Amino acid sequence: MANSKYEYVKKFETDDRLPPSSWIVVRIDGCHFHQFSAEHAFEKPNDENALNLMNSCAVSMLEQFPDIVFAYGVSDEYSFIWKETTQFYQRRASKLLSLSVSYFTSVYVMKWKEFFPHKELKGPPYFDGRVVCYPRAKIVQDYLAWRQVDCHINNQYNTCFWMLVKSGKTQREAQELLKGTQAKDKNELLFQQFNVNYDKLPQMFRKGSCVYRKKVEEVVKLDDTGNPVTRTRSKVAVEHVDIIGPKFWSDLPYILEEE
Ligand SMILES: Nc1nc2c(ncn2[C@@H]2O[C@H](COP(=O)(O)OP(=O)(O)OP(=O)(O)O)[C@@H](O)[C@H]2O)c(=O)[nH]1
Ligand SMILES: [Mg+2]
């Protein structure tokens, strides 16, 4: 039905194509997860099953959208890095954002039972999202380092806070005790009062989770002389990386290489 008198309404649509040759970061974040986590009695400060569910959703994202090259998640948030040359939906911001948020949310609901077989999903989890473009791989690396530092700072604080509360302090008292403390004071507090070595807590809690394609060698068959014939394929994997820094990227140059 070309050229109806209503066609002019299309002129009001705006072009939201993101600039070419730049990495696209979509970060999604659980809406009101403070409440959602309380409603579903998540362990404080870290619920292993809830984090594994988030990670599993991120794996599904990379399997569904081949142009996502890397994802990093902590707490109720996940960042997805789309490769700089992606032409997916002509790089339209609204498409990339809405597809990411809706796909992640649907998978979260679908997989809920797998991670919480004995907990009913009491209300709809939902996520917001934002898109930011970065013109250099180095800035994407710094972006990820920023999220990981944030994870560390928040987790160290939350670990101390909930240890104090579980040991009988009120939330107000715990807050007061932690006011103005530095990282080393918090480590000391955990060790002195609770005999906890912060560095020994699970890496996933302290450092967040990375999802990316790993190159794995697999044996396809044995040749006539009985030697294995292998091929390399990529497999989406979850890793808990100590520092998402220069060493990490130099070991995996194919992830964020500029084309
Ligand atoms: N107990 C528990 N809570 C968690 C866990 N992961 C995330 N949360 C909760 O989720 C919140 C995430 O922080 P925010 O995103 O700032 O808070 P929010 O309530 O989701 O607020 P908006 O994102 O602004 O809607 C944390 O403050 C926790 O309350 C977890 O593993 N265990
Ligand atoms: Mg949130």
Side-chain angles (χ1 to χ4, degrees):
M1 255 241 301
N3 293 328
S4 83
K5 68 173 180 175
Y6 304 116
E7 285 270 319
Y8 79 96
V9 298
K10 287 187 77 171
K11 295 201 178 111
F12 288 80
E13 290 176 11
T14 48
D15 182 355
D16 65 346
R17 278 175 289 184
L18 294 164
S21 302
S22 52
W23 302 88
I24 300 169
V25 178
V26 174
R27 182 166 81 245
I28 67 169
D29 186 294
C31 289
H32 308 305
F33 259 50
H34 186 70
Q35 198 184 320
F36 183 84
S37 58
E39 209 180 336
H40 295 90
F42 283 3
E43 296 271 340
K44 292 175 196 298
N46 291 292
D47 188 296
E48 204 177 336
N49 294 327
L51 294 172
N52 284 331
L53 170 56
M54 292 287 289
N55 292 343
S56 183
C57 296
V59 169
S60 296
M61 289 282 287
L62 268 83
E63 287 168 350
Q64 179 69 17
F65 304 114
D67 284 357
I68 298 177
V69 292
F70 192 82
Y72 175 73
V74 40
S75 181
D76 68 339
E77 73 166 60
Y78 240 104
S79 297
F80 296 95
I81 318 293
W82 294 71
K83 69 177 183 185
E84 63 168 342
T85 52
T86 185
Q87 289 306 320
F88 197 56
Y89 282 92
Q90 299 170 295
R91 302 173 68 86
R92 286 168 61 193
S94 54
K95 291 281 186 186
L96 292 179
L97 185 58
S98 57
L99 285 165
S100 300
V101 170
S102 71
Y103 194 81
F104 190 96
T105 307
S106 293
V107 176
Y108 192 97
V109 173
M110 279 187 71
K111 289 186 180 241
W112 176 268
K113 267 266 160 290
E114 191 184 317
F115 291 86
F116 293 108
H118 306 299
K119 271 185 198 175
E120 183 201 350
L121 183 56
K122 293 184 179 159
Y126 57 113
F127 294 81
D128 66 25
R130 71 187 69 193
V131 186
V132 184
C133 274
Y134 295 106
R136 292 261 160 287
K138 169 73 172 70
I139 311 178
V140 179
Q141 293 173 6
D142 286 348
Y143 166 85
L144 292 164
W146 169 56
R147 296 320 304 143
Q148 194 179 36
V149 167
D150 214 55
C151 165
H152 166 70
I153 293 169
N154 288 334
N155 188 63
Q156 206 185 27
Y157 181 93
N158 291 338
T159 304
C160 292
F161 180 85
W162 288 109
M163 286 265 177
L164 288 165
V165 171
K166 283 174 189 173
S167 75
K169 297 269 186 275
T170 66
Q171 297 202 7
R172 170 70 61 85
E173 286 167 342
Q175 234 167 13
E176 283 302 317
L177 273 166
L178 292 171
K179 210 181 241 171
T181 53
Q182 304 294 308
K184 68 171 178 15
D185 306 323
K186 294 192 191 78
N187 275 349
E188 202 57 25
L189 180 148
L190 288 174
F191 195 66
Q192 298 297 344
Q193 292 199 28
F194 305 109
N195 205 19
V196 166
N197 182 345
Y198 183 76
D199 292 338
K200 293 265 160 29
L201 296 178
Q203 183 110 314
M204 175 165 72
F205 298 172
R206 291 181 294 111
K207 303 289 183 170
S209 303
C210 298
V211 179
Y212 56 93
R213 291 178 191 84
K214 289 187 90 166
K215 295 196 168 156
V216 289
E217 285 273 305
E218 65 179 15
V219 176
V220 190
K221 59 173 185 181
L222 297 180
D223 68 14
D224 297 342
T225 54
N227 289 321
V229 177
T230 61
R231 69 163 179 200
T232 309
R233 72 178 181 94
S234 69
K235 181 179 184 300
V236 179
V238 180
E239 295 277 311
H240 305 293
V241 174
D242 190 28
I243 299 171
I244 312 176
K247 165 85 174 68
F248 174 70
W249 296 114
S250 67
D251 288 348
L252 295 163
Y254 62 91
I255 292 185
L256 281 186
E257 70 195 341
E258 287 175 27
E259 287 175 26

